[in-house]
Amino acid sequence: MSNFPFLSVLTVAPLVGALVVALLPRKRPDLAKLVAFGWSLLVLVLSVVMWFAFSAGGDRFQFRESYAWIPNWGVRFTFEVDGIALVMLMLIAILVPLVILASWHDAESSKRSVPVYFALLLVLECTMIGVFAAADVFLFYVFFEVMLVPMYFLIGSYGGHQRQYAAVKFFLYSLVGGLFMLAAVIGLWVVGGKTFDWQTLSQAEFATNTARWLFLGFFLAFAIKAPFFPFHTWLPDAGGAAPAGAAALLVGVLDKVGTFGILRYCLPLFPEASRWFAPWALALGVIGIIYAALLAVGQNDLKRLVSYTSIAHFGFIGVGIFAFTTQAGTGAVLYMLNHGLATGLLFLVVGMLIARRGSSLISDFGGAGKLVPVLAGVLFFAGLASLALPGTAPFVSEFLVLIGTFTVNKPVAVIATLGIILAAAYVLWMVQRTTQGTLNPALTEVEGMRRDLSLREKVVVAPLIALIVLLGFYPKPVTDVINPAVQATMQDVGKSDPAPEVGSVQEAAK
Amino acid sequence: MSELKLPSIDYAALAPILIMLGAALLGVLVEAFVPRRLRNAVQLGLALVAVLAAVTMVILKSESRVITAGGALAVDGPTLFLQGTVLVLAAMALLLVGERTVERGGAFVAHAAVTAESPEDRRQAEGVGGATEVYPLMTFAIGGMLIFVAANDLLTMFISLEVFSLPLYLLCALARRRRLLSQEAAMKYFLLGAYASAFFLFGVALIYGFTSGIPGRGAGVDFATVHAAVGESSSSQVLLFAGMALLAIGLLFKAAAAPFHVWTPDVYQGAPTPVTGFMAACTKVAAFGALLRVFHVAFAGASWDFTPVIGVLAVLTMLVGAVLAVTQTDIKRLLAYSSIANAGYLLVGVLAPSKEGLSGTMFYLAAYGFSVLAAFAVVTLVRDADGEATHLSRWAGLGRRSPFFAAIFTFILLAFAGIPLTSGFTSKFAVFGPALEANQAWLVIAGVLTSMVLAFPYLRVVVMMWLSEPGEATPTVTVPGALTSAALVIGVLATLVLGVVPGPLLDLTTGAAEFVR
């Protein structure tokens, strides 16, 4: 089974689906939705099969495929995944069908073509899978850039308030990062012996200064994508304007490309430069955690609030990566998955709430729990997951990041812990001001607020809730896959974990 | 008195040039003898057949590497590739020129000499058959470009420069609508072009003086003599530098590089759109072909001296093109500034003195030519009662009215912005890679930074077309005739194919990337 070309099929399949959906007549939106949903389920099934075909204790990279593309430049279609990429692929495969289901009626509110909306979602899935599966730097870059196009149209054509501004800002920010990376990619190609193969390049040695410049090119692109403070300003706009489903993918998956890129490209290719820049990256991470959390507290727009919370979470991921310990690294990767689940859920639920109320302002709500108790409950749960309550999955990852960091860098770990307190503040205040307290009389007059979660919406939230709880109590299946990959990455950087003083630390990572 | 020796001439290698110039002369006769109603079809057919025949000859003789006609012309890899590129792009431009269904009577005016805005002028704007002289003019220009990229001495280069420039000046004045703008464009182009030619000629004279100052060697302006003279330490550097500078001014003017670019937006805007496309694609190929040969063959020994200067000009060109593109409100002017910026990227390739650099530059020229012609083909289609609607505000909401053409234009704009899977990305890669290898990192960084700036105006057009609501003034897209469709399909397909599988063309340019000396 492991000879099956999983990765190329997974990458191409959504694209084929997108073509099919786009060619469906505009008059038959329901058919388009069903086909898109079915197709994404197919991708999910294939991903699950791949998950079980991956042997956690085996080679670091598996399912390698390589086909010639542009021989003149040594560019190949090379796909392979390590544990980190595999986890991200699973996240995509799980989120996309749920997002399609959740945005069942989203596209209808705009005057645009409904099939095209779902086709764009599938194109986005293709590029997202491609970017995580690529093992050729050129191929990675291609997916990294092309990814912008479907997202741009999702935000720009189907988004809400200020969608044009947000779409252009999103595109330009990402393109700026991408072009810095392009310069670095070309530089890497020139000094790395005219090959783009990741395996070959990771063996190559570069001059110290060259490596630092190249690192900077890649890091800028990824820091904008992630986004880290101070490159974050596009995210609240894009997240606020995007339709909820697209926003869930934007924050849940797209932004992980940044942190994934750092783990896959910055650290192993330029280990010395990574160590040299690590203090700066840690500083950005810590500032991001505190700064974004403070801004989140002050938001009055639900989607912008969620966007800011995820900037804070990305600060945690950044700290986890640049602490250079296996626990922190594993925590960071696990955080990437859990954040995708928790924030994805939060975005989807908030989207449901906004769709009912017709407004995303927190002040337009109040006491909504009395009208839609189930929805309010799910929102509360998503909020708790987002603030990393023990028992939910994000707790495990946040804890791992913090202890992993504490062993090597106490001040950073201590300051980062403050972020947890702030997280409690922004989540609980948000929940309190929207669903608790006295009922806002205006709400009762809104038709939509009288309907609680429909069956479709329950189907959307249930798998996410189940996964968050499951991974909160039993993260081992995932950590088993992640751990070897993270260990290998840390070896690439040339950092070994400090000897554990207490035996139980290692246990926590398990 | 010694016997007069005739130089040997390899007629087969010169066949493409001879075919085009012959067809141009035939075209003049057609104007005189063929009845008016048949003229358009006959002229278009003649021009296309000539171009096809010339392309066939280029392909048949693709292995020839000779210097012929007494050292005046070099038919080698770059020559043949660039000639082929010029011919294919010219064929697309001819298709646009020949289009008669989009506008009654075509894009060209019947009698250019009629006073603009006079009643008679308005009458002839209403669908009197356009002048068919455009075809011989186009064929002459194409023939001139074919010589230009093959020229192996500076005088031949100057003559061919005039051969292709003069018809272009005339062609600019022939737009059917907006006559004043068109005439102004032609006048500007002519005056500035004449200046540039004068600079070039003066440069030739100085280089002649430079070569004659070396004892024991014959003076001359053929590239072999110049190359040898540059290598001599005893030669006068002042004459060399002054001569090089003046030559560069002449060539950079045609290439639309800053600070010799000021004609570009006005001429691109005023000229009939098919001619604008022809200029943006073919003139650029010809001008850069000549630049490559002059700098890589004649002055290769002085590369330490010209590289920093041309490098600064390249950065300036990119900056001017990108920054001024941001403020444009007319689609043709926007494309003009984008073409200026692209000249800057091409200069980056010219400054990479390696086989890869040469190959990358040629790849860029071909890829850009296809995209830009397709872009102007779309511009000819977006029209209202007064002809083409080129003001950007008029394009608002075009995506709703005509999603297909808006999608095509979006694709081309993404190509210009350098998004992967389009030829815009692969061609940027093809020139930036060799430039980095040649330690010109500063040029690459400037290129990357200006690409970011340039992305904004492109994106603005995309936003206009898709995200804005169509207004009352949004023009419709005319359904193109077969000719425009053909040009559009070729351009868009080439943009896509060269972006996804650039391998075959790269093989071709790599194989061709060697000058004969």
Side-chain angles (χ1 to χ4, degrees):
Chain A
M1 200 59 200
S2 59
N3 290 327
F4 183 77
F6 279 109
L7 296 169
S8 51
V9 172
L10 267 180
T11 310
V12 174
L15 192 63
V16 177
L19 284 178
V20 173
V21 173
L23 291 178
L24 289 175
R26 201 178 159 160
K27 305 259 162 51
R28 308 272 315 267
D30 285 323
L31 184 67
K33 293 172 191 173
L34 281 176
V35 173
F37 181 60
W39 213 286
S40 62
L41 278 185
L42 215 69
V43 174
L44 174 61
V45 169
L46 194 63
S47 314
V48 172
V49 174
M50 183 177 74
W51 173 272
F52 287 107
F54 187 91
S55 75
D59 292 343
R60 176 177 177 191
F61 288 99
Q62 298 181 22
F63 309 126
R64 186 180 170 92
E65 297 171 51
S66 192
Y67 315 100
W69 182 12
I70 310 175
N72 315 59
W73 295 336
V75 177
R76 301 179 67 81
F77 281 109
T78 306
F79 292 114
E80 60 187 357
V81 287
D82 58 359
I84 304 172
L86 183 75
V87 168
M88 296 316 297
L89 290 187
M90 278 313 290
L91 176 65
I92 297 167
I94 293 170
L95 273 184
V96 170
L98 296 179
V99 162
I100 289 180
L101 205 56
S103 31
W104 211 250
H105 298 299
D106 276 10
E108 284 157 13
S109 57
S110 78
K111 284 173 273 176
R112 314 270 168 160
S113 160
V114 175
V116 170
Y117 178 82
F118 290 94
L120 282 173
L121 279 179
L122 285 176
V123 174
L124 188 64
E125 182 174 24
C126 156
T127 56
M128 289 188 303
I129 292 178
V131 86
F132 288 110
D136 181 286
V137 181
F138 190 92
L139 188 64
F140 172 81
Y141 180 78
V142 166
F143 281 118
F144 186 85
E145 288 283 270
V146 173
M147 202 161 62
L148 299 179
V149 179
M151 199 54 178
Y152 171 76
F153 283 106
L154 279 174
I155 299 175
S157 295
Y158 300 93
H161 184 56
Q162 276 208 324
R163 58 200 165 90
Q164 292 191 14
Y165 169 78
V168 172
K169 195 170 177 181
F170 160 75
F171 197 95
L172 283 182
Y173 261 74
S174 304
L175 196 69
V176 166
L179 284 168
F180 277 117
M181 189 162 97
L182 175 63
V185 165
I186 299 177
L188 183 66
W189 179 70
V190 169
V191 298
K194 306 223 164 165
T195 176
F196 284 109
D197 183 57
W198 188 89
Q199 301 279 8
T200 319
L201 287 172
S202 64
Q203 303 300 323
E205 297 276 336
F206 306 116
T208 313
N209 258 326
T210 318
R212 282 182 190 167
W213 281 110
L214 295 179
F215 174 92
L216 211 57
F218 278 94
F219 182 77
L220 259 177
F222 296 143
I224 291 175
K225 195 87 189 170
F228 290 145
F229 175 87
F231 311 106
H232 64 276
T233 59
W234 62 271
L235 184 63
D237 290 319
L249 284 181
L250 174 72
V251 175
V253 181
L254 235 62
D255 293 352
K256 308 298 191 310
V257 176
T259 47
F260 171 80
I262 292 174
L263 275 169
R264 172 65 78 78
Y265 295 93
C266 284
L267 303 194
L269 296 184
F270 318 112
E272 191 278 341
S274 306
R275 292 194 297 271
W276 197 77
F277 279 105
W280 300 97
L282 281 175
L284 290 188
V286 172
I287 295 175
I289 294 173
I290 304 299
Y291 177 75
L294 285 174
L295 284 184
V297 173
Q299 291 304 310
N300 190 29
D301 182 294
L302 278 169
K303 283 204 249 176
R304 287 180 75 88
L305 188 148
V306 180
S307 301
Y308 275 112
T309 69
S310 59
I311 296 170
H313 292 155
F314 277 106
F316 270 109
I317 299 177
V319 167
I321 291 173
F322 281 97
F324 296 139
T325 62
T326 310
Q327 285 144 18
T330 307
V333 177
L334 199 57
Y335 213 139
M336 283 156 64
L337 170 70
N338 294 337
H339 174 262
L341 297 174
T343 307
L345 176 67
L346 193 56
F347 249 122
L348 292 177
V349 180
V350 161
M352 292 168 188
L353 205 56
I354 293 170
R356 282 174 167 69
R357 178 66 179 90
S359 158
S360 58
L361 295 181
I362 294 179
S363 48
D364 283 345
F365 291 90
K370 298 196 173 61
L371 293 171
V372 281
V374 183
L375 180 56
V378 176
L379 179 73
F380 188 54
F381 176 82
L384 292 183
S386 190
L387 69 78
L389 190 80
T392 61
F395 169 73
V396 183
S397 37
E398 204 159 288
F399 187 67
L400 277 176
V401 168
L402 287 175
I403 53 169
T405 310
F406 192 79
T407 52
V408 289
N409 196 333
K410 292 191 176 60
V412 168
V414 171
I415 300 174
T417 313
L418 290 177
I420 301 181
I421 301 169
L422 288 170
Y426 58 69
V427 166
L428 294 178
W429 262 325
M430 187 261 289
V431 170
Q432 186 197 13
R433 287 187 288 166
T434 49
T435 59
Q436 309 294 314
T438 49
L439 181 63
N440 183 345
L443 281 184
T444 49
E445 285 154 32
V446 181
E447 172 71 24
M449 291 305 291
R450 293 189 205 124
R451 280 181 289 110
D452 209 338
L453 284 189
S454 68
L455 180 64
R456 174 179 62 83
E457 289 165 327
K458 282 178 188 151
V459 173
V460 172
V461 296
L464 289 175
I465 295 177
L467 273 172
I468 290 171
V469 174
L470 182 73
L471 293 179
F473 282 98
Y474 189 64
K476 187 168 178 306
V478 180
T479 49
D480 280 353
V481 170
I482 296 173
N483 240 329
V486 171
Q487 256 163 11
T489 306
M490 292 306 151
Q491 264 164 21
D492 286 339
V493 190
K495 285 271 184 179
S496 52
D497 295 336
E501 291 160 34
V502 186
S504 62
V505 173
Q506 206 62 34
E507 285 304 311
K510 288 285 157 65
Chain B
M1 190 178 149
S2 62
E3 205 180 325
L4 185 66
K5 274 212 289 194
L6 290 175
S8 75
I9 295 180
D10 185 344
Y11 286 103
L14 301 185
I17 300 172
L18 298 176
I19 291 172
M20 287 319 294
L21 293 179
L25 294 174
L26 267 183
V28 176
L29 291 179
V30 170
E31 278 303 304
F33 294 111
V34 174
R36 185 177 287 278
R37 64 195 160 78
L38 292 179
R39 246 181 247 166
N40 188 52
V42 172
Q43 288 282 27
L44 177 63
L46 177 67
L48 282 177
V49 167
V51 168
L52 285 184
V55 172
T56 317
M57 283 313 291
V58 167
I59 296 171
L60 284 179
K61 301 295 289 180
S62 60
E63 293 307 316
S64 64
R65 301 283 185 271
V66 292
I67 293 185
T68 183
L73 295 173
V75 179
D76 53 9
T79 300
L80 288 164
F81 179 81
L82 293 171
Q83 284 186 338
T85 312
V86 166
L87 287 167
V88 173
L89 296 174
M92 286 171 65
L94 278 171
L95 292 175
L96 293 181
V97 168
E99 179 66 67
R100 284 292 185 274
T101 55
V102 168
E103 170 151 30
R104 242 159 57 100
F108 296 88
V109 72
H111 300 287
V114 171
T115 314
E117 311 297 335
S118 66
E120 198 184 341
D121 181 47
R122 276 196 288 277
R123 202 159 44 246
Q124 70 174 357
E126 294 307 319
V128 179
T132 41
E133 287 90 346
V134 291
Y135 298 101
L137 289 173
M138 290 274 289
T139 5
F140 268 123
I142 300 166
M145 290 172 186
L146 296 190
I147 310 176
F148 199 51
V149 294
N152 196 41
D153 78 42
L154 292 171
L155 267 183
T156 315
M157 193 170 262
F158 174 72
I159 292 168
S160 53
L161 175 72
E162 293 302 295
V163 170
F164 85 76
S165 295
L166 291 172
L168 280 179
Y169 300 145
L170 279 176
L171 283 168
C172 286
L174 293 180
R176 171 177 293 269
R177 316 270 182 167
R178 303 195 185 87
R179 297 280 316 135
L180 271 180
L181 212 59
S182 174
Q183 288 175 353
E184 184 196 326
M187 196 64 195
K188 242 178 212 169
Y189 194 22
F190 171 67
L191 284 180
L192 292 175
Y195 271 122
S197 296
F199 274 112
F200 187 89
L201 198 57
F202 199 28
V204 177
L206 291 184
I207 294 295
Y208 184 80
F210 161 70
T211 56
S212 64
I214 298 164
R217 278 182 186 279
V221 287
D222 59 301
F223 290 168
T225 311
V226 176
H227 180 79
V230 169
E232 293 278 341
S233 54
S234 63
S235 45
S236 153
Q237 300 289 307
V238 178
L239 282 179
L240 172 65
F241 292 158
M244 269 203 308
L246 294 178
L247 286 181
I249 289 177
L251 292 175
L252 291 175
F253 174 83
K254 282 291 164 205
F260 317 109
H261 67 280
V262 283
W263 59 277
T264 319
D266 294 336
V267 173
Y268 275 31
Q269 186 186 16
T273 308
V275 174
T276 313
F278 178 62
M279 285 195 292
C282 296
T283 308
K284 199 141 257 171
V285 177
F288 273 95
L291 269 173
L292 283 170
R293 195 175 288 278
V294 166
F295 284 123
H296 285 308
V297 178
F299 296 117
S303 69
W304 279 92
D305 300 310
F306 69 72
T307 302
V309 180
I310 304 288
V312 169
L313 291 187
V315 173
L316 189 67
T317 307
M318 296 186 255
L319 266 180
V320 165
V323 171
L324 292 184
V326 173
T327 62
Q328 299 308 312
T329 52
D330 183 281
I331 187 73
K332 281 169 91 177
R333 289 183 82 85
L334 194 154
L335 288 172
Y337 280 105
S338 136
S339 141
I340 294 170
N342 275 290
Y345 303 135
L346 279 160
L347 279 177
V348 175
V350 172
L351 291 180
S354 61
K355 203 167 145 75
E356 285 81 17
L358 180 56
S359 144
T361 314
M362 293 198 290
F363 181 87
Y364 199 121
L365 283 168
Y368 176 71
F370 282 113
S371 309
V372 84
L373 267 170
F376 280 111
V378 176
V379 172
T380 63
L381 297 177
V382 181
R383 27 187 348 123
D384 56 16
D386 294 332
E388 290 160 9
T390 54
H391 198 273
L392 270 184
S393 64
R394 308 284 311 278
W395 286 50
L398 196 72
R400 300 286 186 78
R401 294 270 173 103
S402 329
F404 179 69
F405 290 99
I408 283 184
F409 202 66
T410 305
F411 177 71
I412 296 167
L413 288 174
L414 289 179
F416 284 153
I419 300 293
L421 302 185
T422 65
S423 65
F425 171 67
T426 43
S427 44
K428 281 214 177 65
F429 189 90
V431 295
F432 286 171
L436 263 188
E437 235 172 325
N439 282 323
Q440 305 282 1
W442 63 294
L443 289 180
V444 175
I445 290 176
V448 165
L449 288 174
T450 51
S451 299
M452 294 170 194
V453 178
L454 207 48
F456 178 71
Y458 298 145
L459 210 56
R460 213 170 45 136
V461 180
V462 176
V463 169
M464 278 279 185
M465 290 194 300
W466 293 101
L467 309 186
S468 300
E469 297 299 320
E472 284 298 307
T474 304
T476 47
V477 167
T478 312
V479 177
L483 298 177
T484 308
S485 309
L488 199 54
V489 166
I490 297 172
V492 171
L493 273 186
T495 307
L496 178 68
V497 169
L498 294 182
V500 179
V501 273
L505 187 68
L506 280 171
D507 287 338
L508 205 62
T509 55
T510 314
E514 193 132 28
F515 289 110
V516 293
R517 287 172 203 277

